[in-house]
Amino acid sequence: MNRHWVTLEYPHILARLAEHTDFSGGRERALALEPAPEIHEARDSLALTGEARELLLARPDFALGGVHDIRPQARQAEHGVTLHPPELLRVRDTLQGAARTRRLLTRLEAQFPRLADIAWRIVLAPDLVDAIARVFNDRGEVRDDASPTLARIRRELRITQSRVQDRLQRMLTSPQVAPYLQEALITRREGRFVLPVQADFKRHVRGIVHDRSGSGATLFIEPTDVVDMNNTLRELTLAEEDEILRLLQMLTAQIGDLAPEIVASLDALVELDLVFAKARYAVALDASAPELLPLPEKPPQLAEGDRDQTNFHPGTVVRLLEARHPLLDPETVVPVNVDLDDQTHMLVLTGPNTGGKTVTLKTVGLLTLMARAGMHLPVAPGSQLSCFEAVYADIGDEQSIEQSLSTFSSHLNNIVAFLKTVDHRALVLLDELGAGTDPAEGAALARALLEAFRERRSTVLVATHYPDLKLYAHATPGARNASMEFDVETLAPTYRLTIGLPGRSNAFAIAHRLGLPPEIVKHAQGMLSGEALRAEDMLDDLHNLRLQRVRARDQARQAQRDAEDRAAQLRDRLAGIEHERRELLAQAEAQGREVVAALQDEVRALRDRLLAAPGQIAAPEVDAVADAAAALEVRVPQPEPLIAADEIAAPEPAPEPTGVLAEGSTVRIPSLGVEGTVLALEGDEAVIQAGAMRTRLSLEDVELLRARPASKPPPTTLSVAAAPRPSPGVEIDLRGQTAAEALANLDAYLDDAAMAALPWVRIIHGKGTGKLRHEVRHFLATHPLVPMYESASEKEGGSGVTVAKLVTTR
């Protein structure tokens, strides 16, 4: 196998894949699986895996039950080698399992056309299956009725055997034989029925001696009276064996005639087994299908100009979102985002030892090979990857004692072996480039090698500790820095990848945390050059700016999501109100009609009484009826028009922002998608506070939302509540943050939540050691916006979540 694949632990992936196969043929194919050389093959394979996952979702119990790899038996039969009964039974079971698989997949061809295409290659052999079933029963025994000849022979065998046993049974009780027997039983030697006779009395029982016991005290004698019957029995047994052999040869001949079809069917079954193994492995990894992109036939044309300032980007794409190494525990592995923009094809990765640099390199290389092999990847949906034709890896300690090579020499030999063959279609992964020799010379050689790969237009990921390579990545078009984060508080790596920032040196911070005397640490810092100190300060500033930007971006995204959710809720609520309004109007109208109809009936009844017999009704009763009719007329309600459905007032459009930009004005920063307050105006620039971030921007880069609020009017008896700010969401997740970061984020979040008039919020801090929970609740106990807090219910997180009630600012 390709040594670079071995370096990336690709065989371990194949071993995991093979565990999900159903029979030996699929397992062998899985262990020998290689990445597809062409993108159309890789894409077809990925699509097949996707179809298999969908089928397993609908039918989780699907399996190639009873199938064996019978290709060797089919080839033996083709060459006339008679197959034994167990082999014939495996052929029968396999052909039956193949037929079931073909029926299922071809019946579902409309849903799973690619799987059905493979299933159509399975050749049905019902006549062969029936022939084997006629010869063997379910226990694998040859049936008595396998042929008329065998039926006759076995019938005669039973009769003859019964006669022999009857004759010998009479001898067991005969006074001429019984006294000389060692035991009163009938046994068999060499296929013939015999009696156990005491050796001292062998002359008293006439017959043929076939065997004797180990002690010599017993002889197994075939009495003369049953010799002829035993001869007949032996002849019938030989005839039975000959007939069974004839049946086996007949079935073998049928298998030999169908050998090419059987081999083709097994190849299809092996392919299906591999496809479904990929699907099951994908489910186990919680994987998703990547978008595999073609490589350009020729790399993009270079712009004319200074070669040092030319971007040699080959047009490749590496966009792996939340990528996890497939061989690591999914419960503990930290996902990384390896997302190279369209200007970057070289990533210089720095960070502490054991911080995850090597794992990141192996993850990218391994996922590239898996995608080409048609396997889904442990990445988030939306991941994209170019179909690199070659993957070269120089990773790990390659020191060779046998060849008397140092680590440096061994690494260099490996790189030289593929340096001449790399081009724009290659992915190159280099770990500790230039290590193992003088640092100055190693750094210079590393830069030269990177420049050679850049000019060959390869996509390169390199892990290093050399500061010179950080500067190279910063100054070279097409190259970019990246770092693995490190928690100075816990002295442990976080395994998070940050693209765009070089790794910081944490030596002084670690030394201080480990208890090295401060004067020694300070003395060591004084030995650094001014440029080195300024570089560290610059990195600190860059990291702080990045954190502020990430927070602002997350807040903006959360605000947008909350606004969309609120808009959807309002639309649903408005539709519900309109529906209820129509129902109430319809009910009121129906009730009104019923009341009017009842009153009109009463009026008609009174009128009928008056007209029925006016001469017979006394004057007082007439007056009473008239008064009742007049009262009913007053009670009959006058019809009033109902409110039309289109009378719901439309919301008034928001007024356009008015006024002049000044200190205190509220503005929006389109590039970040957040709002902020103007702190100061300096010429054509403004200093803006946006959450925890303070930045300076050109006046052209901001939009006025609200002018500076006027001074408050005297309080009146009627006040209008201020419109709440956009909601930051009712939940904040602080897990994975240091205490300082968590409290800073929580403080800003509580301010935004109170301004958005949220009555309460959920704070997720996790259970863990309880340290972060203690810090958060201590902070809440003194916060002016939080009158009380409590743990969430067990269903909502228990002690890992704190629910805080807020004093709103509305």
Side-chain angles (χ1 to χ4, degrees):
M1 182 175 284
N2 185 307
R3 66 188 302 264
H4 299 284
W5 301 353
V6 175
T7 299
L8 294 170
E9 301 179 278
Y10 181 66
H12 294 348
I13 293 294
L14 299 185
R16 297 273 182 96
L17 175 65
E19 294 174 359
H20 296 277
T21 56
D22 284 330
F23 72 107
S24 60
R27 177 177 177 80
E28 291 177 7
R29 179 70 67 86
L31 292 174
L33 179 64
E34 294 188 358
E38 301 291 339
I39 186 172
H40 67 86
E41 297 178 32
R43 283 176 167 174
D44 289 344
S45 187
L46 286 170
L48 266 171
T49 304
E51 279 195 8
R53 288 187 70 175
E54 291 180 14
L55 179 60
L56 289 178
L57 188 62
R59 298 182 62 117
D61 58 339
F62 175 84
L64 301 178
V67 173
H68 306 275
D69 188 1
I70 58 172
R71 288 173 294 184
Q73 287 75 29
R75 296 189 180 97
Q76 290 175 3
E78 192 174 18
H79 290 88
V81 179
T82 302
L83 301 181
H84 299 295
E87 295 173 316
L88 292 169
L89 291 175
R90 283 198 291 271
V91 171
R92 179 199 65 184
D93 294 343
T94 300
L95 294 178
Q96 289 175 336
R100 288 193 301 270
T101 301
R102 170 175 158 148
R103 283 195 298 270
L104 172 65
L105 296 182
T106 53
R107 190 170 66 246
L108 301 175
E109 183 173 15
Q111 295 175 258
F112 311 107
R114 292 180 174 85
L115 293 174
D117 285 343
I118 301 175
W120 281 117
R121 288 161 36 198
I122 297 174
V123 179
L124 299 178
D127 294 340
L128 177 57
V129 173
D130 292 343
I132 297 175
R134 282 195 299 270
V135 173
F136 296 98
N137 60 22
D138 292 338
R139 295 187 299 275
E141 301 168 343
V142 178
R143 297 177 180 273
D144 290 347
D145 58 350
S147 73
T149 301
L150 184 61
R152 176 185 58 78
I153 292 172
R154 286 188 170 176
R155 183 171 59 254
E156 294 179 2
L157 265 173
R158 286 191 293 271
I159 294 172
T160 305
Q161 182 174 319
S162 177
R163 290 174 58 196
V164 172
Q165 289 179 339
D166 289 344
R167 178 71 59 87
L168 291 175
Q169 191 67 40
R170 288 197 296 269
M171 289 183 180
L172 291 178
T173 58
S174 168
Q176 290 80 18
V177 176
Y180 310 113
L181 298 178
Q182 190 74 33
E183 293 182 80
L185 58 83
I186 302 171
T187 184
R188 299 187 74 166
R189 288 294 185 273
E190 298 179 0
R192 303 176 77 88
F193 287 100
V194 296
L195 296 176
V197 180
Q198 298 179 45
D200 295 337
F201 301 104
K202 63 180 180 179
R203 294 184 180 181
H204 294 279
V205 180
R206 298 179 58 191
I208 301 171
V209 178
H210 286 280
D211 197 4
R212 69 178 178 178
S213 65
S215 64
T218 304
L219 298 178
F220 297 95
I221 297 176
E222 177 186 5
T224 304
D225 292 347
V226 297
V227 168
D228 290 340
M229 286 187 289
N230 264 335
N231 289 341
T232 302
L233 193 63
R234 181 60 181 163
E235 290 173 2
L236 290 172
T237 301
L238 293 175
E240 178 190 33
E241 292 175 357
D242 290 342
E243 180 62 14
I244 290 175
L245 178 60
R246 186 189 69 80
L247 292 172
L248 297 182
Q249 290 173 340
M250 177 194 69
L251 294 176
T252 299
Q254 293 184 37
I255 293 172
D257 293 340
L258 291 175
E261 290 83 354
I262 292 175
V263 171
S265 298
L266 258 294
D267 289 340
L269 289 172
V270 166
E271 188 172 348
L272 286 172
D273 195 18
L274 178 61
V275 169
F276 282 99
K278 291 179 184 178
R280 296 188 189 100
Y281 189 33
V283 173
L285 289 175
D286 190 21
S288 62
E291 182 182 0
L292 208 56
L293 303 176
L295 292 167
E297 294 184 6
K298 294 182 179 180
Q301 187 173 359
L302 297 177
E304 297 182 0
D306 185 0
R307 192 170 184 80
D308 291 339
Q309 298 303 316
T310 299
N311 192 327
F312 289 86
H313 199 291
T316 55
V317 174
V318 176
R319 188 167 189 260
L320 298 174
L321 307 179
E322 298 182 21
R324 294 172 279 117
H325 194 291
L327 297 178
L328 297 180
D329 185 356
E331 298 296 328
T332 58
V333 64
V334 178
V336 294
N337 289 311
V338 184
D339 189 0
L340 306 187
D341 58 35
D342 56 5
Q343 297 297 315
T344 303
H345 68 107
M346 301 182 71
L347 199 65
V348 177
L349 185 58
T350 53
N353 287 325
T354 69
K357 299 190 301 296
T358 302
V359 171
T360 299
L361 295 183
K362 285 188 174 183
T363 299
V364 175
L366 197 52
L367 297 190
T368 300
L369 297 177
M370 290 174 64
R372 282 177 49 197
M375 287 182 264
H376 289 185
L377 308 182
V379 296
S383 296
Q384 298 174 312
L385 194 63
S386 290
C387 189
F388 294 99
E389 293 184 4
V391 178
Y392 300 105
D394 182 63
I395 296 174
D397 187 356
E398 299 291 339
Q399 187 176 26
S400 174
I401 297 176
E402 293 181 359
Q403 300 179 19
S404 300
L405 295 176
S406 66
T407 299
F408 174 76
S409 300
S410 185
H411 278 291
L412 201 57
N413 270 342
N414 188 24
I415 294 173
V416 169
F418 62 79
L419 180 61
K420 295 180 181 180
T421 60
V422 299
D423 55 15
H424 72 283
R425 297 166 295 183
L427 173 65
V428 181
L429 307 169
L430 305 170
D431 189 23
E432 300 296 348
L433 181 61
T437 187
D438 177 78
E441 295 179 356
L445 186 59
R447 288 190 60 166
L449 284 171
L450 285 184
E451 188 63 20
F453 286 122
R454 186 175 82 94
E455 293 183 355
R456 285 167 172 76
R457 313 193 73 172
S458 303
T459 301
V460 181
L461 277 73
V462 57
T464 182
H465 284 289
Y466 288 135
D468 289 358
L469 295 190
K470 301 178 187 179
L471 298 175
Y472 173 84
H474 180 71
T476 304
R480 198 173 184 193
N481 275 302
S483 61
M484 305 303 298
E485 294 182 357
F486 185 85
D487 190 342
V488 181
E489 295 294 327
T490 61
L491 302 182
T494 65
Y495 304 108
R496 293 189 180 94
L497 175 66
T498 302
I499 295 179
L501 293 178
R504 291 180 293 174
S505 172
N506 296 294
F508 295 141
I510 294 173
H512 178 73
R513 292 280 296 172
L514 291 177
L516 192 67
E519 60 272 15
I520 298 179
V521 176
K522 186 176 295 184
H523 184 62
Q525 289 175 326
M527 294 180 182
L528 288 178
S529 64
E531 291 184 359
L533 291 174
R534 285 194 295 274
E536 285 297 314
D537 292 340
M538 179 190 69
L539 287 177
D540 285 336
D541 292 341
L542 287 173
H543 276 278
N544 290 333
L545 287 174
R546 174 185 169 273
L547 289 175
Q548 292 177 1
R549 181 179 178 185
V550 168
R551 290 170 186 162
R553 181 196 63 196
D554 292 344
Q555 291 175 356
R557 289 178 178 175
Q558 185 63 43
Q560 182 179 0
R561 286 194 294 267
D562 291 341
E564 292 173 353
D565 292 344
R566 179 172 292 183
Q569 292 173 1
L570 288 175
R571 284 194 297 270
D572 293 342
R573 184 177 177 185
L574 184 60
I577 291 174
E578 174 62 18
H579 179 70
E580 292 177 5
R581 173 181 176 276
R582 292 178 180 272
E583 288 186 348
L584 290 174
L585 290 176
Q587 293 175 3
E589 186 174 359
Q591 292 174 357
R593 290 197 186 97
E594 292 176 359
V595 171
V596 170
L599 294 176
Q600 288 175 343
D601 290 342
E602 290 186 36
V603 171
R604 282 195 294 271
L606 291 174
R607 184 180 298 109
D608 292 341
R609 287 176 57 191
L610 291 173
L611 296 176
Q616 301 175 2
I617 301 176
E621 186 174 351
V622 173
D623 294 338
V625 172
D627 293 340
L632 283 175
E633 290 178 350
V634 173
R635 288 168 54 196
V636 174
Q638 297 298 321
E640 296 182 0
L642 297 176
I643 302 175
D646 58 356
E647 290 181 2
I648 299 177
E652 297 182 1
E656 293 293 329
T658 58
V660 179
L661 186 65
E663 295 181 9
S665 297
T666 301
V667 296
R668 182 176 181 275
I669 307 174
S671 60
L672 298 178
V674 298
E675 296 182 13
T677 303
V678 176
L679 300 181
L681 293 174
E682 299 176 1
D684 58 351
E685 293 183 335
V687 179
I688 299 171
Q689 182 76 35
M693 179 182 67
R694 180 176 297 185
T695 183
R696 182 187 300 272
L697 295 171
S698 171
L699 297 180
E700 298 176 353
D701 296 333
V702 299
E703 298 177 357
L704 176 64
L705 293 181
R706 293 182 294 278
R708 180 176 59 186
S711 58
K712 294 183 179 179
T716 61
T717 56
L718 179 63
S719 61
V720 180
R725 290 187 181 178
S727 172
V730 297
E731 183 175 278
I732 181 172
D733 192 341
L734 304 178
R735 289 175 294 182
Q737 302 178 19
T738 64
E741 291 176 344
L743 296 183
N745 292 338
L746 179 57
D747 189 28
Y749 170 75
L750 291 175
D751 290 343
D752 293 340
M755 293 301 295
L758 295 182
W760 54 268
V761 294
R762 298 177 75 252
I763 305 166
I764 303 175
H765 42 64
K767 296 178 181 179
T769 62
K771 180 181 177 182
L772 184 57
R773 178 178 68 240
H774 173 75
E775 294 291 339
V776 166
R777 293 187 175 179
H778 179 71
F779 178 76
L780 294 176
T782 59
H783 201 285
L785 294 176
V786 181
M788 64 176 293
Y789 63 87
E790 61 185 1
S791 294
S793 65
E794 287 301 324
K795 293 183 179 179
E796 296 181 348
S799 60
V801 177
T802 296
V803 178
K805 296 187 178 180
L806 301 181
V807 176
T808 60
T809 60
R810 294 184 59 183

